[in-house]
Amino acid sequence: MSKHSIVCLPGDGIGNVVLEEAIRVLNAAGFEAEYIEGDIGWKFWCNEGNPLPQRTLDLIEKYKIGLFGAITSKPKDEAFNELSPALQKKNLVYSSPIVGLRQHFGLDICLRPCRTYSGNPLNFIRRGPNNSIEEPEVDVAIFRQNTEGLYGGVEWSNPPPNVYDALMSHPKFSQNFGNAPVEEVSVSTRIFTKKYTERIVRAAFEHAKKYKYKSVTVCEKPNVIRETSGMMYKMAQEIQKADFSDIELWNTNIDAQMMWLTKNPENYGVIVAGNMFGDIVSDGFAGLIGGLGFACSAQYNPESGIGVFEPTHGSAPKYADYTTSIVNPIAMVESACMMLDFIDEQDIAEKIRKAVANVVIEGKVLTYDMAKMSGRSDVIDKGAASTVQMADAIIEKL
Ligand code: NAI
Ligand code: MG
């Protein structure tokens, strides 16, 4: 019997090919596991009316570790129209299965590392003194609260009377919004709870300690969003003082942070933020180290030990049907490495990361994004590496 059992969730579009290639790399690196395939994605919505069937939830519950490719989501009307005719009478509403997974298993900790690979032609460069060109080395780990905040789904348009009355009892609401007709009011809440705020902040500090980062930055907006951002920052101050006094605590506002992104990205270490700001700041940093072909993530629940590992990119449907796949598998391979870290197989993870680094620094094998081509099917003829060729190159370096 294999030491590990992994639920693989290819999903839609390019999710299928990048996951297959990542598993090939894992096998070649000597990772011993059995893979159990879980159903997720558009096909299951269309045919069963549920993109995240219960049997898939059961598999993840049982095996605890999921390796996920990507899914396709479409707007409400399109989703309805593509539902099989028999199901269209059933009043089903589509919702994203990856968001569903996060909520179902309470995968509240999301980690998105962004690290520069030397030699990556997509690395951010900037002008330094005397017109010099600088290539700052980025190494940040972004901890994004994954279940609460603005993406928590507690929202109304034309709020019901009890909600509206409660809002009216707040002086700022009655003053600033009280004149708007209730049917013209939409509200999306931003709820933070102490338990989960503490968990994400602690996870950030523990990561900083383990990997020797010198600072943790709370990237929120406590001067304006006083209650939620304010709570996170205050909690970070307390935690730092009590348990991590040798790690510096920095505080930046999300808007200013986005401006500083290109000014001094090399100064940041661990960053912690709520759901939406974490989403934003992690995309910002990902852009500096190669974009979607390089952006990986882990999401897990520290209590249950359930973790799902996935590239940040989606299913890229326009490339899904190319006879030879052109997309970059590195984001998926890196996500698989994060899975290995999580299940205490760091040695294999490091081996794979070194192999990727060697391929990138050598600069001979470049997928179309790294070669700065636009993603058409003829990029292979023009010298870009295919998805499979990139995985082959990584395997060769192992
Ligand atoms: P996307 O991430 O699928 O693709 C955007 C563009 O980024 C692509 O057209 C391509 O140019 C580039 N790209 C993406 N992955 C790449 C890779 N591995 N290598 C090289 N280039 C890559 O986002 P898009 O087009 O906004 O959404 C497509 C579908 O994916 C939608 O249905 C969306 O809802 C879904 N989606 C799913 C996510 C998930 O499964 N976690 C996340 C984001 C989008
Ligand atoms: Mg995003």
Side-chain angles (χ1 to χ4, degrees):
M1 222 183 89
S2 290
K3 201 163 136 199
H4 299 285
S5 302
I6 311 292
V7 180
C8 65
L9 305 155
D12 301 306
I14 64 163
N16 290 278
V17 47
V18 291
L19 184 55
E20 191 177 331
E21 292 312 302
I23 291 175
R24 213 155 61 80
V25 172
L26 287 169
N27 287 336
F31 176 59
E32 287 175 32
E34 57 163 345
Y35 294 93
I36 302 104
E37 184 160 333
D39 297 336
I40 189 167
W42 199 247
K43 189 164 74 187
F44 303 98
W45 162 253
C46 297
N47 299 334
E48 301 177 23
N50 183 0
L52 179 59
Q54 183 61 43
R55 59 184 179 277
T56 305
L57 296 174
D58 295 342
L59 279 181
I60 298 170
E61 182 82 52
K62 179 170 176 198
Y63 295 107
K64 304 238 182 296
I65 304 296
L67 198 51
F68 172 74
I71 49 93
T72 296
S73 279
K74 297 186 189 180
K76 214 167 141 186
D77 293 346
E78 259 179 86
F80 179 80
N81 291 335
E82 292 189 32
L83 202 53
S84 81
L87 291 167
Q88 289 192 356
K89 298 177 199 85
K90 286 197 165 173
N91 245 337
L92 301 166
V93 181
Y94 176 83
S95 66
S96 159
I98 184 65
V99 176
L101 259 186
R102 288 172 194 154
Q103 282 165 351
H104 182 86
F105 292 111
L107 306 175
D108 60 305
I109 310 284
C110 174
L111 168 56
R112 293 179 168 183
C114 295
R115 231 176 276 133
T116 302
Y117 274 117
S118 291
N120 184 352
L122 296 171
N123 286 345
F124 166 67
I125 54 171
R126 72 179 169 223
R127 217 175 272 290
N130 302 321
N131 251 350
S132 60
I133 297 292
E134 299 173 338
E135 190 174 316
E137 194 178 326
V138 177
D139 178 3
V140 300
I142 293 141
F143 279 80
R144 163 191 177 192
Q145 207 298 329
N146 215 25
T147 46
E148 302 194 326
L150 254 176
Y151 297 176
V154 183
E155 37 185 17
W156 299 268
S157 284
N158 188 8
N162 53 347
V163 174
Y164 187 75
D165 290 347
L167 290 169
M168 279 300 262
S169 73
H170 194 293
K172 285 257 161 59
F173 186 90
S174 53
Q175 244 173 51
N176 299 333
F177 305 100
N179 287 334
V182 58
E183 61 279 6
E184 291 182 16
V185 172
S186 290
V187 184
S188 300
T189 63
R190 187 179 205 260
I191 301 170
F192 283 28
T193 64
K194 278 204 161 153
K195 175 176 172 183
Y196 290 102
T197 304
E198 174 161 7
R199 261 157 75 137
I200 194 73
V201 171
R202 271 199 187 279
F205 273 105
E206 272 154 20
H207 190 86
K209 188 175 175 182
K210 185 167 174 193
Y211 294 100
K212 301 191 168 44
Y213 287 95
K214 71 171 198 286
S215 65
V216 170
T217 302
V218 174
C219 178
E220 279 280 322
K221 186 110 183 166
N223 55 336
V224 178
I225 317 176
R226 293 168 189 278
E227 300 306 325
T228 46
S229 292
M231 172 168 77
M232 181 175 275
Y233 182 51
K234 188 160 173 262
M235 202 169 253
Q237 285 175 304
E238 287 164 7
I239 290 172
Q240 188 257 0
K241 202 169 159 209
D243 298 326
F244 299 94
S245 53
D246 48 341
I247 297 168
E248 290 173 35
L249 171 64
W250 299 354
N251 174 29
T252 60
N253 287 336
I254 177 71
D255 48 348
Q257 180 74 70
M258 296 316 280
M259 189 182 63
W260 293 330
L261 209 56
T262 52
K263 195 172 163 241
N264 59 351
E266 67 274 42
N267 289 0
Y268 297 93
V270 174
I271 294 180
V272 59
N275 207 337
M276 187 193 199
F277 294 163
D279 197 12
I280 293 173
V281 74
S282 60
D283 270 16
F285 272 101
L288 305 177
I289 56 111
L292 289 173
F294 287 84
C296 55
S297 79
Q299 32 197 0
Y300 56 91
N301 179 319
E303 262 168 289
S304 67
I306 292 178
V308 175
F309 303 83
E310 58 155 328
T312 308
H313 64 73
S315 61
K318 36 178 200 191
Y319 306 151
D321 297 328
Y322 288 2
T323 350
T324 304
S325 172
I326 64 164
V327 295
N328 191 345
I330 290 178
M332 183 78 237
V333 169
E334 285 281 333
S335 305
C337 290
M338 296 187 79
M339 173 191 80
L340 294 174
D341 289 339
F342 190 73
I343 57 176
D344 273 332
E345 293 282 4
Q346 284 94 347
D347 291 350
I348 303 177
E350 276 319 298
K351 192 161 125 185
I352 297 174
R353 288 190 180 111
K354 270 203 190 109
V356 174
N358 283 336
V359 172
V360 175
I361 203 161
E362 205 171 76
K364 284 194 210 146
V365 180
L366 305 169
T367 44
Y368 84 93
D369 51 328
M370 297 168 78
K372 307 194 184 220
M373 297 177 181
S374 65
R376 283 192 292 267
S377 56
D378 62 356
V379 295
I380 307 289
D381 298 332
K382 291 182 178 157
S386 67
T387 311
V388 171
Q389 283 168 332
M390 176 53 92
D392 281 341
I394 296 168
I395 290 168
E396 202 177 297
K397 296 283 182 207
L398 283 169

